[in-house]
Amino acid sequence: LSDLNQSIEGLDSKKRSLEDDIERLASSLEQARSEQEAALGEIQSNIALRLGLKAVASQPVALHGPELLVTEGCLCDFVESDFDFEDVLAENLKKRGVTSVAGNPAVERGRLAGVAAALAATKFIAIPQTVARQVADSLSVTVSGRSAKKVVVPADFRNVRSVLDAISGNEAVVIVDGIIDAANEGVLFALLSENVKPVVILPFVSHASASLIAKEAWGTMYLPNAESLSTYSCSTKGAKMQKMASRFMLPAVSADDALEEARDLSKELEQLDLAAEHCLLAAVVFRAIENLTDEELIERYVAQHLLMCSRCDESALETLAEWSEEDLGLIELSKKLGIHE
C-alpha cells in the first residue's frame, strides 16, 4: 500500500508538471499569436502605404518653384536726333533724372555715356541699382526708341535656360536683376558664357556682394564709371527722350591695339595682380574711349572697373588713386566698399 501511495504521489507530481508545461505553452502560443497579428497588421499597413504612394507617384505632379518676373519694354515718346550716340545718351540720362552730387552732373553723365566704349568689349554691364533702370532705359531709347525689358531672377533660381529664353528676343537692352546681390554665380557664369544679342544690364544694391562675386566674372562683365551718379526722379517729369536718327555703330578696336594696351596696363598696375582677362577687357575700353573723346584723363573711364577686379582693399585703392588722379567715381566706389582712406 505504501508503494502504491508513492506511485500515486509521483503521478500527481508529473501531472502538475505537465499542467505547468501546458500553461507555459499556452502562454507562449498566445504571445506568438499576438506577435503574428501585429506583424500581419504592419505588413498590411506597409502594403497600403506603398499602394498609396504608387498611386500618387503615377499622377502628374506640378512643381511650383519660383518663377521669373518679366516686364516687357514699351515704345516711348521720343524725337529723333542727329547727334552722336554719346551726346544723345547723355541727354537721355539727364531727362531721366541722372545727376551727380559729387561732381559736375554734365561731366559725370558724359563719362557714363562712354559706356559705348564698353560695348566694344562686352554686352554685360554691371550698374549700381540707384541708376540702373535710368541707364538701361536711356541706352535702350537711344538706339531703339523703346524702354528696356526687365527680368527679375528670384533668389536661388537655377533654371538657366529660362533666363536665356527671357533675353533672347529682339530687345536692344534687357535688365537682369537679382543675380549679383544673391551671388547666384551659377546663373551669372552661364549668362556670361553666352553670345547674347541685347545689352544686358546687371543691377546690384550691395557693393559688398558685388565685390564678393568671383573675380573671373569681371573679365566679361564691366562696371562703368557710374559711382559718382545718383537719381533725382522728379527733376524732368514728362521730358521727351531722344533716339538716334542713324544706326549705332560699335567703336572698333583691333586685336593688336588691345593686346598692346593690355600689356601696358599690366605693367603700370602690377601691384593689383590683375588677371589677363581683366587687363584685356579694360584695354579694349581704354582704346575705344581714346577714339570717342578728346579728354586726357581716360583712366577715369576704367579705374572703377579695375578696382572691382582687384582685391578691393586699401592697397589697390592707393595704386589706382595715383593712376587715376582726382577720380570722383573711384572715391565714391571706395566709400561704398568701405576702403576709403
Side-chain angles (χ1 to χ4, degrees):
L1 182 62
S2 176
D3 292 339
L4 181 60
N5 287 334
Q6 289 179 352
S7 297
I8 292 172
E9 289 177 357
L11 292 172
D12 287 339
S13 176
K14 290 182 179 180
K15 177 184 176 184
R16 287 193 296 272
S17 176
L18 290 172
E19 287 176 347
D20 290 341
D21 291 340
I22 292 172
E23 186 176 351
R24 284 195 298 272
L25 288 172
S27 176
S28 297
L29 180 61
E30 184 65 27
Q31 182 178 357
R33 285 176 178 173
S34 298
E35 291 176 353
Q36 182 183 33
E37 290 177 358
L40 287 173
E42 185 176 354
I43 291 171
Q44 290 174 347
S45 177
N46 288 338
I47 291 173
L49 177 60
R50 291 188 179 187
L51 289 174
L53 290 174
K54 185 175 181 180
V56 171
S58 65
Q59 297 177 359
V61 179
L63 299 177
H64 299 289
E67 297 181 353
L68 298 177
L69 177 61
V70 180
T71 305
E72 299 291 339
C74 59
L75 187 65
C76 296
D77 185 15
F78 64 84
V79 295
E80 289 195 339
S81 172
D82 294 323
F83 286 101
D84 293 336
F85 172 87
E86 295 78 23
D87 295 329
V88 176
L89 178 56
E91 185 63 23
N92 284 341
L93 289 170
K94 178 180 179 181
K95 290 177 179 178
R96 285 304 309 268
V98 175
T99 187
S100 176
V101 176
N104 183 311
V107 172
E108 298 303 314
R109 281 193 298 264
R111 288 185 178 135
L112 177 58
V115 72
L119 298 180
T122 182
K123 292 287 189 70
F124 301 100
I125 310 296
I127 300 279
Q129 185 74 55
T130 51
V131 295
R133 180 83 222 195
Q134 291 76 11
V135 172
D137 282 342
S138 297
L139 178 58
S140 185
V141 174
T142 297
V143 297
S144 71
R146 300 181 65 88
S147 62
K149 181 178 183 178
K150 185 172 184 180
V151 178
V152 179
V153 180
D156 299 323
F157 194 77
R158 293 293 180 266
N159 192 341
V160 175
R161 174 47 53 191
S162 65
V163 177
L164 296 176
D165 289 343
I167 67 172
S168 63
N170 295 319
E171 296 83 5
V173 180
V174 179
I175 304 169
V176 181
D177 201 357
I179 292 181
I180 294 179
D181 285 316
N184 192 340
E185 293 186 347
V187 174
L188 177 61
F189 278 103
L191 190 60
L192 296 180
S193 67
E194 292 291 319
N195 184 20
V196 298
K197 180 181 178 182
V199 176
V200 177
I201 302 295
L202 296 157
F204 61 91
V205 175
S206 170
H207 285 73
S209 295
S211 68
L212 292 175
I213 289 289
K215 296 303 179 185
E216 290 80 359
W218 296 104
T220 307
M221 178 174 62
Y222 189 75
L223 176 68
N225 49 337
E227 297 296 342
S228 62
L229 295 167
S230 54
T231 302
Y232 180 52
S233 59
C234 299
S235 61
T236 52
K237 276 190 174 181
K240 186 173 287 190
M241 306 278 276
Q242 294 184 11
K243 174 184 175 296
M244 289 180 64
S246 58
R247 183 182 176 186
F248 169 61
M249 301 296 292
L250 287 173
V253 177
S254 71
D256 289 341
D257 286 346
L259 286 172
E260 181 183 357
E261 187 62 45
R263 293 186 181 110
D264 290 344
L265 284 175
S266 181
K267 291 177 182 178
E268 287 184 62
L269 302 172
E270 185 177 4
Q271 300 91 329
L272 297 183
D273 294 325
L274 297 173
E277 58 267 26
H278 298 147
C279 293
L280 189 57
L281 176 58
V284 174
V285 178
F286 201 92
R287 285 298 175 96
I289 285 292
E290 287 182 330
N291 298 330
L292 293 175
T293 181
D294 295 329
E295 186 174 350
E296 294 182 359
L297 301 174
I298 299 178
E299 293 83 2
R300 295 181 181 182
Y301 287 86
V302 297
Q304 294 168 51
H305 175 73
L306 291 174
L307 179 58
M308 198 61 79
C309 293
S310 74
R311 298 178 299 276
C312 295
D313 58 14
E314 293 181 0
S315 175
L317 173 62
E318 182 180 355
T319 298
L320 284 167
E322 292 178 1
W323 184 70
S324 182
E325 297 178 356
E326 299 180 2
D327 189 332
L328 296 178
L330 184 63
I331 293 172
E332 291 301 312
L333 176 57
S334 68
K335 291 177 182 178
K336 294 167 186 175
L337 291 173
I339 57 173
H340 182 60
E341 297 175 343

